[in-house]
Amino acid sequence: MFRLPIPAILQVCMRPFRYGLIILLFLLSHEAMAQQAILRGFVTDASNEQPLQGATVALRAGSELVAGTATDGDGYFVLNRVSPGRYDLVVSYVGFADWSESLNLSSGDVREFSIALAMRAAEIDELVVEAEAVGGITTVAAGLETVVPAAINRVPVPGVSGDLASYLQTVPGVTVQGDRGGQFFVRGGAVDQNLALLDGLPVYMPFHVLSFYSAFPEELVDRAAFYTGGFGAQYGGRTSSILDVTARNGNKQNLAGSVSIAPFLSAVTVEGPLVPGRVSAIFSARQSFVEELIPDLFGQRMPYRFGDRFGKIHALVGGSHEMSFTFLDTDDRGDIAGSKKSVFGDAEATTIDDSTEVAWENTVFGGTWIYRSNRIPLVSRLTAGRSEMTNAFGPDGNPEREATVESVEASLRLSWLLNNGDVSVGSTLRKTDLGYTLDDLFTEFTTSAEELTELQAYAETTLDLLGDKASINPGVHLYALTDRSQSWVEPRVRLSVWPTGREGRHQINASWGIYHQALTGLTDERDLGNLFTAWITTPEGQEAMESMHGILGWNVQVLPWLSGAVEAFYKDYDHISAPIFSPFPRFTTTLQEATGLAYGADIRLNLENRPFLMESVLDGNVSYTWSTVEYEAGPYTYNPAHDRRHQLNALLHAQKGEVGLTIQWQYGSGLPFTESGGFDVWYLLTPDVDVSSEAGVDRIVYSEPFGGRQPTYARMDVWLERRVERGRYIGTLRAGVLNLINRANLFYYDLFTFSRVDQLPLIPSVGFKMELR
């Protein structure tokens, strides 16, 4: 791939800012003379003063649309560079009465608005349908899933609120180990090739030990961009996927919040104004009680403890500045062995086995400053913060293995808004400290500490072409390891085409890009159902991991209530840091280069607002994914542990009045694993060992890597929910059953003792939630 020496890439990184400053100074002087008008303000729900995100703001001169935009998560909008004249400002939102006002704008006018929309009772149902439809799985665009809270809420979880983790499991191409584990694989990529961001800061292990939950519950998510591949020039440092989550800012008008009680996860959220209309705060705390309330259920122990704490303060400073501070803390601990079963299926003793305990913690905090110019169409964003993760395996307080990742970073993004798109440049500097301790007799290195400094810069543009029938997003990402004098230039492009216009039935999407990654996660090939990862840098003398993505997709509106999408993807990996395979059990820290190939296709159907039995409404989705992942390392060609060939997801929801019924079904073909080939007896050959009298240590001998396949995975969940709204108060009662068919899905298998651990059995769940909007 393209290579530049470090001094050269630094010069290239600075050029966009140098030239941008010159252009900015010129345009500032130009705008100072032009003195065009500016319109800005907030749009809220008149009944509760809640911000309305996505409201349409249009400026018209007669029947001609002069300018338009949509409100952000705070209900905020801004229209820059408006020429003097007479206009009508019109604000609309589905389910609400339109608001309009006639304006006579003069040079230099800065108009501020506080617009409260009144709900139209006759369109309440339409409002609900529209809110849910925004985040349907068929809205995919060349690997990009745009997720909103209403979409998250469509996928029930044990408890009451929705969670982003459960929604992601319905996305084609996403593979999970099952009900527990907290590990996600995306379209052929390994766990360490995914990057999760919260308000621009990395969260290294964002998912909880039970896979239904993450650090991103429905109540805290404003929106999320999930790239299963083909992400644009803005992102870097990972070779498979990006999950970019923006947290809500909190209510700036009224005190609001919610309390939910459920055995699996209980939560409390409080939000409200610190300075009405200007400064808000939102805080959340969640904690599981499954271990305390149902420690032994249907013959299986439930030794899992997890929770998270979140806080965010957001402030509007003047008419152009925003500032926010975000904090996140998570903790997980569980015994992955759970209740073991013998090879004959009999449950064994349920005593806790500390040697199979796993734990991890995340701490993330940082701030963001956003500036929207009143004079020119410029938006700048500065983010800085710190992220830390600790992963441990073994007894609490004395783990056998422990790994840490600590990073500090700062990033700057500048966006110039055009009439038909935008131009953006940005840069990120991240310093990461890595360390691990492996108390293992068979490990070459028991302790290690490393540092990594990454410099990233990018430039990209989004342009609407062909009379608004096409949108293209080309860009280039520059990735440098300053302490290794290594650098890469990564071209990227994304494209969408609407053959009959954006209101038509068809949309064609494509993306392509080159990506590099200097971090690698070490896992133990002995663990079937592994949850421990030790992060290291690419070994000296080895190229950083590289991948090339290609995605092509087609979306179609088949009927007013039925939409579909088809996507094919191709990922070519090079310089993968793979452990050198050994026929004997060991945590391998000796690595070799491997190449990889992942490709496949998925089909999606989405059903919306379809009249059903007894005046109810039906919606849901179904998706099927076929894919193949293949690695080549040394003399071996094999399918790694995340190669799931077939996956099927289906969700059906029926709503009648305040009562809803949801049925969800998941199926996945078996994942690869390394089978045992036999046993031997091992001796530590030191002068004081007498092999004629010492008993030695029994040791397993492995067969070829990943030559076997686990059993298939299948689960059906059923949920019944009643939601009652009374003004600002909402009460929700949800009851359901996990794994209704009580299938014995495999989670963990000890090849040495021939004992197995299954995924969750049939488990009833009930929860209650009270909200104040």
Side-chain angles (χ1 to χ4, degrees):
M1 195 46 55
F2 304 108
R3 299 290 301 276
L4 289 174
I6 287 296
I9 197 171
L10 288 176
Q11 293 178 16
V12 173
C13 291
M14 292 303 297
R15 282 174 189 166
F17 303 104
R18 185 186 308 153
Y19 296 149
L21 182 60
I22 295 173
I23 295 172
L24 181 60
L25 291 175
F26 169 78
L27 290 172
L28 277 171
S29 62
H30 180 268
E31 286 292 332
M33 292 183 294
Q35 290 291 300
Q36 294 174 313
I38 299 168
L39 308 178
R40 63 192 183 207
F42 293 89
V43 180
T44 60
D45 181 344
S47 64
N48 53 29
E49 297 185 347
Q50 186 79 355
L52 292 179
Q53 178 184 1
T56 300
V57 181
L59 189 66
R60 298 183 177 276
S63 60
E64 179 186 357
L65 177 64
V66 177
T69 187
T71 55
D72 64 11
D74 286 320
Y76 180 78
F77 71 91
V78 59
L79 294 174
N80 288 304
R81 298 187 301 166
V82 179
S83 300
R86 292 183 176 274
Y87 302 97
D88 290 320
L89 182 64
V90 182
V91 179
S92 59
Y93 193 78
V94 177
F96 290 77
D98 291 349
W99 177 96
S100 65
E101 182 175 316
S102 297
L103 306 175
N104 187 8
L105 301 179
S106 303
S107 296
D109 276 355
V110 178
R111 300 284 187 93
E112 296 189 354
F113 300 87
S114 180
I115 302 168
L117 300 185
M119 181 177 292
R120 288 193 296 221
E123 296 191 9
I124 291 180
D125 292 339
E126 182 183 356
L127 170 64
V128 174
V129 172
E130 177 68 17
E132 292 181 344
V134 170
I137 66 167
T138 55
T139 59
V140 60
L144 169 60
E145 306 269 349
T146 301
V147 188
V148 295
I152 299 174
N153 190 46
R154 294 180 69 177
V155 185
V157 297
V160 188
S161 299
D163 194 286
L164 185 57
S166 288
Y167 176 86
L168 295 182
Q169 294 183 45
T170 69
V171 175
V174 175
T175 299
V176 297
Q177 291 176 311
D179 312 332
R180 41 185 153 184
Q183 303 277 25
F184 280 63
F185 309 91
V186 182
R187 279 187 167 172
V191 171
D192 60 337
Q193 297 166 13
N194 305 322
L195 176 62
L197 300 169
L198 175 63
D199 285 349
L201 300 173
V203 185
Y204 288 98
M205 290 192 71
F207 304 105
H208 285 303
V209 66
L210 291 183
S211 298
F212 312 110
Y213 307 104
S214 69
F216 314 123
E218 167 200 349
E219 294 91 343
L220 302 182
V221 176
D222 180 51
R223 60 190 179 279
F226 181 42
Y227 292 88
T228 57
F231 41 94
Q234 176 184 352
Y235 304 100
R238 291 297 188 273
T239 55
S240 181
S241 75
I242 301 290
L243 176 61
D244 189 357
V245 178
T246 301
R248 290 183 52 239
N249 293 330
N251 194 318
K252 289 184 174 59
Q253 306 297 331
N254 297 308
L255 180 66
S258 63
V259 176
S260 61
I261 301 174
F264 274 86
L265 194 62
S266 296
V268 57
T269 302
V270 179
E271 61 180 303
L274 299 180
V275 178
R278 308 303 294 178
V279 183
S280 66
I282 179 170
F283 300 99
S284 171
R286 301 192 300 168
Q287 184 62 47
S288 72
F289 296 101
V290 61
E291 185 179 39
E292 291 79 6
L293 298 180
I294 46 176
D296 191 349
L297 187 67
F298 295 96
Q300 283 206 29
R301 290 191 305 113
M302 303 291 291
Y304 304 108
R305 303 184 297 279
F306 57 94
D308 49 59
R309 279 69 51 193
F310 169 87
K312 184 175 183 179
I313 297 176
H314 180 266
L316 298 170
V317 183
S320 302
H321 301 268
E322 292 183 40
M323 299 181 66
S324 65
F325 178 82
T326 302
F327 170 80
L328 174 69
D329 175 66
T330 77
D331 64 273
D332 289 77
R333 175 167 290 276
D335 182 2
I336 63 174
S339 294
K340 293 184 178 181
K341 293 185 178 182
S342 71
V343 70
F344 303 106
D346 302 321
E348 298 179 357
T350 60
T351 56
I352 294 178
D353 181 1
D354 284 340
S355 66
T356 57
E357 279 200 11
V358 65
W360 62 86
E361 298 178 355
N362 289 283
T363 302
V364 179
F365 60 88
T368 298
W369 167 75
I370 300 175
Y371 170 69
R372 296 181 176 94
S373 173
N374 288 334
R375 297 297 181 185
I376 57 177
L378 175 71
V379 179
S380 59
R381 177 187 296 266
L382 176 64
T383 299
R386 175 185 175 88
S387 301
E388 180 179 353
M389 186 276 294
T390 300
N391 193 189
F393 187 93
D396 188 11
N398 187 30
E400 298 174 7
R401 314 171 195 164
E402 189 171 20
T404 60
V405 182
E406 300 178 10
S407 64
V408 179
E409 69 177 75
S411 62
L412 175 65
R413 174 186 173 96
L414 303 174
S415 297
W416 187 267
L417 307 179
L418 307 174
N419 289 332
N420 61 340
D422 62 75
V423 177
S424 298
V425 296
S427 184
T428 299
L429 179 64
R430 178 182 297 138
K431 183 179 182 298
T432 305
D433 294 317
L434 310 164
Y436 63 80
T437 299
L438 307 174
D439 183 13
D440 195 314
L441 186 63
F442 306 118
T443 301
E444 292 89 343
F445 307 103
T446 57
T447 303
S448 179
E450 303 179 58
E451 292 185 355
L452 179 69
T453 302
E454 300 168 281
L455 176 63
Q456 304 179 50
Y458 76 94
E460 66 178 352
T461 182
T462 300
L463 296 174
D464 296 330
L465 307 171
L466 304 177
D468 217 26
K469 290 185 177 181
S471 177
I472 187 170
N473 174 215
V476 60
H477 186 92
L478 309 177
Y479 184 52
L481 308 180
T482 59
D483 45 1
R484 296 192 180 186
S485 298
Q486 293 181 316
S487 55
W488 297 267
V489 177
E490 303 170 341
R492 319 264 179 90
V493 64
R494 295 177 56 83
L495 174 69
S496 293
V497 178
W498 296 265
T500 58
R502 301 205 181 200
E503 302 301 323
R505 297 174 53 210
H506 302 276
Q507 180 181 353
I508 300 172
N509 306 289
S511 62
W512 177 89
I514 302 293
Y515 310 88
H516 290 84
Q517 176 176 338
L519 288 178
T520 295
L522 290 178
T523 56
D524 193 344
E525 65 181 22
R526 297 173 298 179
D527 294 338
L528 179 58
N530 174 66
L531 298 180
F532 176 81
T533 300
W535 289 85
I536 65 170
T537 62
T538 303
E540 290 284 353
Q542 180 176 319
E543 292 280 350
M545 190 188 317
E546 177 184 330
S547 69
M548 185 276 289
H549 298 183
I551 299 177
L552 180 64
W554 169 53
N555 297 0
V556 59
Q557 189 70 42
V558 182
L559 296 167
W561 48 269
L562 181 65
S563 58
V566 179
E567 270 201 355
F569 70 92
Y570 180 91
K571 295 182 179 180
D572 190 357
Y573 291 91
D574 202 1
H575 309 301
I576 301 172
S577 295
I580 294 179
F581 176 74
S582 169
F584 305 107
R586 64 196 307 172
F587 194 105
T588 306
T589 56
T590 303
L591 304 178
Q592 62 183 331
E593 284 198 16
T595 59
L597 193 63
Y599 56 90
D602 55 64
I603 302 174
R604 317 158 184 230
L605 291 174
N606 197 61
L607 178 71
E608 299 174 9
N609 197 29
R610 180 65 173 167
F612 194 51
L613 301 175
M614 301 174 65
E615 299 182 349
S616 62
V617 176
L618 194 67
D619 61 69
N621 57 71
V622 60
S623 65
Y624 167 75
T625 301
W626 171 85
S627 66
T628 294
V629 188
E630 186 176 270
Y631 282 6
E632 184 174 342
Y636 297 102
T637 299
Y638 60 92
N639 304 112
H642 54 279
D643 175 40
R644 174 156 280 166
R645 296 295 175 84
H646 306 279
Q647 184 160 309
L648 183 63
N649 294 308
L651 184 145
L652 194 65
H653 173 78
Q655 185 77 31
K656 182 180 181 181
E658 298 175 340
V659 179
L661 174 67
T662 302
I663 300 175
Q664 184 178 7
W665 183 55
Q666 295 178 317
Y667 167 85
S669 58
L671 298 171
F673 74 103
T674 302
E675 299 175 299
S676 61
F679 295 87
D680 69 359
V681 178
W682 180 82
Y683 293 90
L684 179 63
L685 297 179
T686 60
D688 59 340
V689 174
D690 183 359
V691 297
S692 63
S693 59
E694 293 284 345
V697 178
D698 291 334
R699 182 173 63 172
I700 192 172
V701 180
Y702 289 124
S703 297
E704 292 190 1
F706 302 101
R709 288 273 175 177
Q710 301 178 34
T712 59
Y713 171 85
R715 193 186 83 217
M716 177 183 289
D717 305 333
V718 178
W719 304 97
L720 185 64
E721 178 178 295
R722 181 171 184 181
R723 176 184 172 96
V724 179
E725 297 189 28
R726 298 292 184 269
R728 294 182 60 198
Y729 296 92
I730 303 175
T732 303
L733 177 65
R734 178 185 294 168
V737 178
L738 282 168
N739 195 11
L740 180 64
I741 56 180
N742 200 23
R743 192 174 193 273
N745 294 302
L746 178 66
F747 169 64
Y748 178 85
Y749 192 83
D750 190 324
L751 295 174
F752 194 87
T753 63
F754 296 139
S755 60
R756 66 177 283 168
V757 178
D758 286 337
Q759 304 280 0
L760 298 181
L762 182 150
I763 295 181
S765 173
V766 64
F768 176 75
K769 180 179 179 181
M770 176 62 71
E771 299 175 71
L772 172 64
R773 294 191 298 189

